[in-house]
Amino acid sequence: MARLRAALSFAVFSLLVLLLLGSVQVQAEPESPVEAPPDTHRHEKRVGSGGPYWLSQIKRQGKVAYGANSSYVIWRNVRDYGATGDGVTDDSDAINNATADGNRCGANCDSQTTTPAIVYFPPGVYATSKPLIMYYYTQFIGDANDLPTILGLPNFFGIGLLDSDVYLPYGATWYQNQNNFYRQVRNFILDITQAPSNAHGLHWQVAQATSLQNLVFNMIEGNGTTQIGIFMDNGSGGWMEDLIFNGGNYGFLSGNQQFTSRNMTFNGCQTAIYQNWNWVWTYKSLTINDCPIGIDMTTGGEVITTGSMVVQDSVFNNVGVGMLTYFSSNSTPTAAGTLVLDNVDFVDTPSAIAYPNGTIILEGNQNVPSFLQGRVYSAYDSQEHIGNLTCYEPTANSARVQQLAGAPPKSESLLTPSGTFVERSRPQYEGVPVESFVSILDYGCKGDGVSDDTACVQGYFDSILDSEVAFIDHGAYVIRETIKVPTNIKMVGEIWPLFMIDGSSSTFSDINNPQPAFQVGQPGDVGAVEMSELCFETLGPAPGAIMMEWNLAGSSAGAAGMWDVHWRIGGTNGTQLQSTQCTKTPNIATTVNSSCYGAFMLLHITNTGSVLMSNNWGWVSDHELDLADHNQINIYNGRGVLIESQGPVWMYGTSFEHSQLYNYQIANGKDIYMGIIQSETAYMQDNPNAVAAFSPTDTYSDPMFGSCFDATCYKTFGLRIFNSTYVLLYAAGLYSFFNNYDSGCLITSNCQDNMVSVEQSEGIYLYALSTKASTNMVEVDDVALVPQAANLNGFCDTVAVFEYP
Ligand SMILES: *[C@@H]1O[C@H](CO)[C@@H](O)[C@H](O)[C@H]1NC(C)=O
Ligand SMILES: *[C@@H]1O[C@H](CO)[C@@H](O)[C@H](O)[C@H]1NC(C)=O
Ligand SMILES: *[C@@H]1O[C@H](CO)[C@@H](O)[C@H](O)[C@H]1NC(C)=O
Ligand SMILES: *[C@@H]1O[C@H](CO)[C@@H](O)[C@H](O)[C@H]1NC(C)=O
Ligand SMILES: *[C@@H]1O[C@H](CO)[C@@H](O)[C@H](O)[C@H]1NC(C)=O
Ligand SMILES: *[C@@H]1O[C@H](CO)[C@@H](O)[C@H](O)[C@H]1NC(C)=O
Ligand SMILES: *[C@@H]1O[C@H](CO)[C@@H](O)[C@H](O)[C@H]1NC(C)=O
Ligand SMILES: *[C@@H]1O[C@H](CO)[C@@H](O)[C@H](O)[C@H]1NC(C)=O
Ligand SMILES: *[C@@H]1O[C@H](CO)[C@@H](O)[C@H](O)[C@H]1NC(C)=O
Ligand SMILES: *[C@@H]1O[C@H](CO)[C@@H](O)[C@H](O)[C@H]1NC(C)=O
């Protein structure tokens, strides 16, 4: 996340004004005939294997280890607070009481990791007249076997049935939209068919480590409604999957810096997706049925506010116009409105892409393997003969295009039999009885943030049968030696329990001899490991810790995976790397304080490893989350994720931020899918610079910065690809916002020299690549090939594709 303000979009602002001023639409046309919706999409409760959902049955004994309130209660069942779920009684106060209980992080709090809450809704219909307010670090979870409905009453008034960030007068909000972390909404029907015709299902103004899953939005159908399923004004996200939108004016009004959305179905919306603004967005596996407009990206007119978009493995069925755009030879800035279609089928949809005036850009009724709109770069090695020597020099051709293109070579290992990229929803274990879940606290581990749980955690993992699921109660489990995760295990956390990798252990303190903390499988192992909802931190500086080493290959595509699993280094209670210890020092020449090291590396996917990742955030804290100053801090973490896998690797909706040498590096790897990836360069650089804390080493194929001759060259690489082949990237937002905490370099767009480095590699396809304030976007073998100045977008700089076959 960044402490940056996204441009206020006029369209959203007007919407908001309408909303805050009252039901303007409704008052103006009180009798406007709204067709009664057909029954087909309604209340299609998906019943799992029957029986109560384990999550509602399991013993709740998780505790916050580093909080101020020892009697704080995490788990809340809304029925215990008086919610009736009878579909008639207004349950809003009861539900808001359930969420707010325990002196949590609301207005004037900004952030706090020590008051997490799971608000659980049993099956039923919960009627509401006002927004159900989600505090910071809140999960709203419904019964996955029998989805509860949140029903907007006819007198409903507010920004959405659910509100993730409360608006105050003059546009202020409870939380900074870019810092609104750690949230979930899962397993609900949000029904606004009885609510006013301008109601919204969900106000989702969120940042990293947030997710939506398995939601159905029921809205008024037909012309005349201004209802919206998800109203997203801004933020810095994020992840959503498995959503169904029925009716409404906009299924999804979307605006955010960057986001990944997967498996969303739109039925009979006036416009399925209204893309209000963005920098980077990937839509994977959309199904749009029977909507007059599929995706509208026309905001801003010919001064386009949609930065870039990828639509992948998607189907438009009986859609009037698939996509609306203003991108043309007249539109500005040059790269704004970048669009990449990758395997998109237009069925009974005569116009795939068109201008608002009806002029067709791309005919419909066809399958489109690849279409590109924006700036494209094709790099190659030019040969030069000097005497009888042949020299190779990386070179690139560029153009601004709006046309069909050739599809990239996709390794079969990454694909389903039908040719789409393999994907897998976060497992919720709907059908698994509660008896099959084994609690880590029941096993005897302490999770108190102090006791050494190493042997206990190892014994616990080794004891879990294939038919069981390891349930990691909330707490903080201190680890002092390498934990060997077995080759077959399922584990799920209770609102991100912490594994604290203790830097005072000699195992994790030697910067010259780094050791894995969580070692998933041994080299060459094949199996099935599922991890979800976990968080890894260091306890004090741990410069010799590789937080996770993934050696395992999945026994089938998607069998080995991580969902909603995060790394968070410093900046929170318990880490001993807080604003009291490691506050920023931009005004003095700074040498690395070894008390403020993070880890050696966050994640290492080794040569034999293969994994599906989904919604993972590797955050080296740039600021304090728990202490009241929320000040910016200097934490020196060596590396983000290193991928040496021979494939397949799928990384959906990942973000690695603020490491020193690089955030993402693929070395000696192949067959890697990524979409989207997001990164930020460490804010303190170049005081000190990228190599000050961790000396680059060949052992880990580190970048050597050998060709650097100025200070802004020694900066975190957003993405480095070394000695690798077949890397398919479907959207990236790689940002450099500061030089030594000074954002002045945003004005001159030169916070650093290079953001992406491709070295000794081939088969590289980087789609919808956006960078911020990097003078050169991509270099190949130390030759700068993509100047940011040629690829200006609204905020970032963007190329529709950089390919180096
Ligand atoms: C977020 O969007 C809302 C609605 O458009 C706007 O009022 C607000 O200023 C935006 N916030 C930031 C920080 O850009
Ligand atoms: C963080 O921990 C300290 C005790 O170490 C406590 O005083 C403080 O209240 C905690 N902060 C939060 C937000 O829980
Ligand atoms: C501590 O938590 C309990 C239970 O959640 C709550 O009732 C109480 O108000 C909290 N106390 C303080 C001082 O925040
Ligand atoms: C919500 O909590 C307030 C304050 O404790 C209480 O007065 C009110 O009755 C509660 N509302 C419901 C519906 O339980
Ligand atoms: C929707 O209604 C408006 C006026 O209420 C009308 O101008 C417009 O043509 C209608 N659109 C469709 C698709 O029926
Ligand atoms: C897509 O989501 C639906 C629920 O909305 C779910 O039933 C289906 O399995 C999901 N498909 C994939 C490929 O994730
Ligand atoms: C339609 O709009 C596009 C984009 O504004 C423009 O380039 C084109 O000339 C227009 N076509 C007609 C027929 O007006
Ligand atoms: C050409 O290469 C040969 C060795 O293969 C070398 O002996 C000769 O000097 C070279 N000629 C020139 C002009 O460099
Ligand atoms: C390094 O950080 C530690 C912990 O905050 C602090 O006590 C110490 O004074 C710092 N050292 C220097 C040289 O700033
Ligand atoms: C490049 O990667 C291959 C494996 O793909 C490996 O065998 C080789 O040693 C690597 N080369 C270098 C210079 O690391």
Side-chain angles (χ1 to χ4, degrees):
M1 84 86 236
R3 289 176 171 264
L4 273 187
R5 312 227 159 233
L8 164 69
S9 145
F10 180 72
V12 162
F13 183 70
S14 353
L15 269 166
L16 197 81
V17 166
L18 271 183
L19 192 103
L20 295 176
L21 295 183
S23 314
V24 173
Q25 289 284 332
V26 178
Q27 286 161 0
E29 300 172 48
E31 308 300 335
S32 77
V34 174
E35 267 179 62
D39 258 336
T40 46
H41 306 310
R42 300 286 155 224
H43 308 298
E44 45 193 320
K45 290 191 179 168
R46 267 157 292 127
V47 179
S49 67
Y53 186 33
W54 66 269
L55 187 127
S56 68
Q57 308 293 304
I58 201 160
K59 181 163 64 163
R60 293 291 167 177
Q61 50 189 334
K63 280 214 177 299
V64 174
Y66 302 119
N69 180 357
S70 59
S71 55
Y72 180 78
V73 174
I74 296 170
W75 169 263
R76 300 106 199 273
N77 182 328
V78 295
R79 296 287 179 99
D80 295 340
Y81 289 79
T84 64
D86 67 5
V88 182
T89 310
D90 184 351
D91 280 332
S92 51
D93 287 337
I95 294 168
N96 281 334
N97 278 358
T99 311
D101 191 17
N103 194 16
R104 302 190 58 227
C105 182
N108 304 313
C109 167
D110 189 77
S111 62
Q112 189 168 290
T113 67
T114 54
T115 47
I118 305 170
V119 183
Y120 175 71
F121 294 66
V125 179
Y126 299 87
T128 180
S129 62
K130 56 174 180 277
L132 307 179
I133 294 168
M134 298 185 69
Y135 282 60
Y136 190 83
Y137 235 103
T138 299
Q139 302 179 342
F140 273 19
I141 306 182
D143 187 312
N145 294 335
D146 186 358
L147 302 192
T149 297
I150 314 274
L151 177 70
L153 288 164
N155 65 341
F156 179 84
F157 181 80
I159 198 163
L161 298 184
L162 269 49
D163 187 3
S164 60
D165 198 1
V166 176
Y167 269 98
L168 301 166
Y170 308 108
T173 46
W174 276 16
Y175 317 106
Q176 273 192 51
N177 65 73
Q178 311 93 324
N179 291 355
N180 198 4
F181 309 138
Y182 298 104
R183 294 164 170 283
Q184 287 179 7
V185 182
R186 298 193 259 148
N187 313 323
F188 288 98
I189 295 165
L190 301 183
D191 188 335
I192 49 175
T193 55
Q194 297 175 27
S197 73
N198 64 348
H200 306 162
L202 171 61
H203 175 223
W204 198 236
Q205 185 184 29
V206 298
Q208 287 84 359
T210 61
S211 66
L212 301 179
Q213 182 179 8
N214 195 25
L215 305 178
V216 179
F217 296 86
N218 287 331
M219 294 166 271
I220 297 169
E221 284 185 28
N223 194 3
T225 170
T226 57
Q227 292 194 331
I228 298 173
I230 300 175
F231 174 75
M232 181 190 281
D233 25 13
N234 38 41
S236 178
W239 176 254
M240 53 178 73
E241 64 183 342
D242 305 344
L243 310 182
I244 299 173
F245 301 82
N246 299 314
N249 186 30
Y250 302 143
F252 180 18
L253 183 144
S254 60
N256 202 292
Q257 293 179 9
Q258 68 285 319
F259 226 91
T260 312
S261 307
R262 191 188 70 76
N263 188 29
M264 310 210 298
T265 300
F266 298 83
N267 302 307
C269 312
Q270 293 302 299
T271 296
I273 298 172
Y274 185 85
Q275 190 67 52
N276 192 49
W277 73 278
N278 74 24
W279 299 344
V280 182
W281 210 295
T282 292
Y283 293 102
K284 165 89 166 75
S285 304
L286 295 177
T287 306
I288 302 182
N289 301 316
D290 311 317
C291 300
I293 298 169
I295 302 176
D296 184 338
M297 48 191 288
T298 60
T299 322
E302 292 194 328
V303 185
I304 298 173
T305 62
T306 293
S308 63
M309 188 190 295
V310 174
V311 180
Q312 180 167 64
D313 293 340
S314 294
V315 184
F316 292 65
N317 287 306
N318 187 31
V319 174
V321 182
M323 306 188 63
L324 282 176
T325 182
Y326 266 113
F327 185 96
S328 73
S329 48
N330 296 329
S331 65
T332 58
T334 184
T338 292
L339 175 63
V340 175
L341 304 190
D342 183 87
N343 183 30
V344 181
D345 212 359
F346 296 91
V347 181
D348 295 329
T349 298
S351 170
I353 308 177
Y355 291 114
N357 62 17
T359 302
I360 292 180
I361 298 161
L362 177 66
E363 295 287 344
N365 294 339
Q366 61 170 326
N367 180 279
V368 178
S370 184
F371 172 91
L372 300 173
Q373 162 174 308
R375 298 271 305 157
V376 297
Y377 281 77
S378 186
Y380 59 97
D381 294 325
S382 73
Q383 281 185 24
E384 236 182 299
H385 300 282
I386 303 168
N388 57 5
L389 288 175
T390 307
C391 297
Y392 295 90
E393 171 86 354
T395 314
N397 294 327
S398 70
R400 188 170 185 268
V401 305
Q402 188 175 30
Q403 64 190 41
L404 289 167
K410 300 177 180 177
S411 156
E412 274 188 20
S413 69
L414 290 167
L415 302 177
T416 63
S418 61
T420 59
F421 287 105
V422 167
E423 57 198 322
R424 186 175 168 201
S425 306
R426 175 199 160 145
Q428 294 208 71
Y429 307 113
E430 292 92 335
V432 180
V434 68
E435 295 74 29
S436 300
F437 289 78
V438 182
S439 151
I440 192 171
L441 291 180
D442 282 350
Y443 183 83
C445 304
K446 296 280 186 298
D448 59 9
V450 182
S451 306
D452 180 356
D453 271 327
T454 312
C456 186
V457 169
Q458 186 65 60
Y460 167 69
F461 284 159
D462 292 343
S463 77
I464 302 292
L465 306 176
D466 287 0
S467 58
E468 294 174 332
V469 181
F471 180 73
I472 319 295
D473 307 83
H474 193 81
Y477 302 88
V478 174
I479 302 296
R480 292 177 55 83
E481 310 279 341
T482 300
I483 295 289
K484 294 182 192 305
V485 177
T487 53
N488 288 288
I489 189 169
K490 303 178 185 71
M491 63 177 91
V492 57
E494 179 185 40
I495 193 157
W496 305 290
L498 308 171
F499 286 102
M500 305 298 296
I501 310 308
D502 188 350
S504 73
S505 159
S506 59
T507 310
F508 302 125
S509 58
D510 185 353
I511 195 170
N512 295 313
N513 183 22
Q515 297 297 316
F518 254 57
Q519 190 177 40
V520 183
Q522 298 301 301
D525 280 354
V526 176
V529 169
E530 299 174 4
M531 291 186 191
S532 44
E533 207 172 308
L534 307 175
C535 186
F536 294 85
E537 297 195 315
T538 68
L539 200 171
I546 295 172
M547 298 295 281
M548 187 185 287
E549 180 185 279
W550 194 284
N551 298 304
L552 185 82
S555 51
S556 61
M562 274 186 273
W563 296 261
D564 210 358
V565 168
H566 310 293
W567 297 266
R568 185 173 73 205
I569 306 298
T572 65
N573 263 9
T575 62
Q576 299 174 13
L577 300 169
Q578 293 191 262
S579 56
T580 38
Q581 289 117 355
C582 300
T583 200
K584 66 175 175 180
T585 52
N587 299 323
I588 55 168
T590 303
T591 52
V592 173
N593 184 333
S594 60
S595 300
C596 297
Y597 273 122
F600 185 86
M601 184 186 292
L602 299 182
L603 171 64
H604 185 188
I605 305 172
T606 65
N607 179 268
T608 67
S610 163
V611 63
L612 186 149
M613 295 175 64
S614 183
N615 185 26
N616 307 102
W617 186 35
W619 191 58
V620 181
S621 300
D622 58 78
H623 72 280
E624 169 69 42
L625 296 185
D626 284 324
L627 299 176
D629 60 20
H630 300 299
N631 206 355
Q632 292 184 303
I633 49 180
N634 277 10
I635 310 284
Y636 306 98
N637 191 81
R639 302 147 185 88
V641 54
L642 169 61
I643 303 156
E644 297 189 294
S645 170
Q646 300 306 296
V649 168
W650 302 267
M651 298 177 89
Y652 288 108
T654 68
S655 168
F656 285 84
E657 302 185 279
H658 316 136
S659 282
Q660 292 295 314
L661 295 170
Y662 57 80
N663 285 312
Y664 290 83
Q665 174 167 279
I666 302 169
N668 317 319
K670 73 167 201 275
D671 296 341
I672 314 296
Y673 171 100
M674 306 168 113
I676 69 164
I677 65 171
Q678 184 240 322
S679 77
E680 292 179 6
T681 294
Y683 294 180
M684 81 290 280
Q685 291 175 9
D686 64 344
N687 178 30
N689 72 17
V691 296
F694 290 82
S695 304
T697 163
D698 276 333
T699 315
Y700 289 89
S701 303
D702 284 336
M704 291 294 167
F705 298 89
S707 58
C708 285
F709 57 87
D710 65 4
T712 46
C713 180
Y714 295 93
K715 293 253 182 163
T716 317
F717 279 112
L719 170 64
R720 179 169 180 262
I721 302 172
F722 168 72
N723 186 35
S724 297
T725 52
Y726 299 113
V727 176
L728 297 170
L729 170 74
Y730 289 97
L734 310 176
Y735 316 130
S736 193
F737 291 135
F738 303 97
N739 193 43
N740 185 23
Y741 290 100
D742 183 349
S743 60
C745 57
L746 292 181
I747 296 161
T748 38
S749 292
N750 62 351
C751 297
Q752 74 186 71
D753 292 3
N754 296 295
M755 185 57 81
V756 178
S757 180
V758 177
E759 298 164 40
Q760 300 172 42
S761 295
E762 58 185 36
I764 307 302
Y765 297 84
L766 313 179
Y767 290 95
L769 168 69
S770 285
T771 66
K772 180 61 191 174
S774 178
T775 308
N776 172 51
M777 298 176 66
V778 185
E779 58 175 356
V780 173
D781 296 331
D782 293 333
V783 179
L785 292 184
V786 184
Q788 60 89 17
N791 302 293
L792 300 182
N793 203 332
F795 180 79
C796 294
D797 310 303
T798 305
V799 296
V801 68
F802 172 86
E803 61 173 31
Y804 185 57

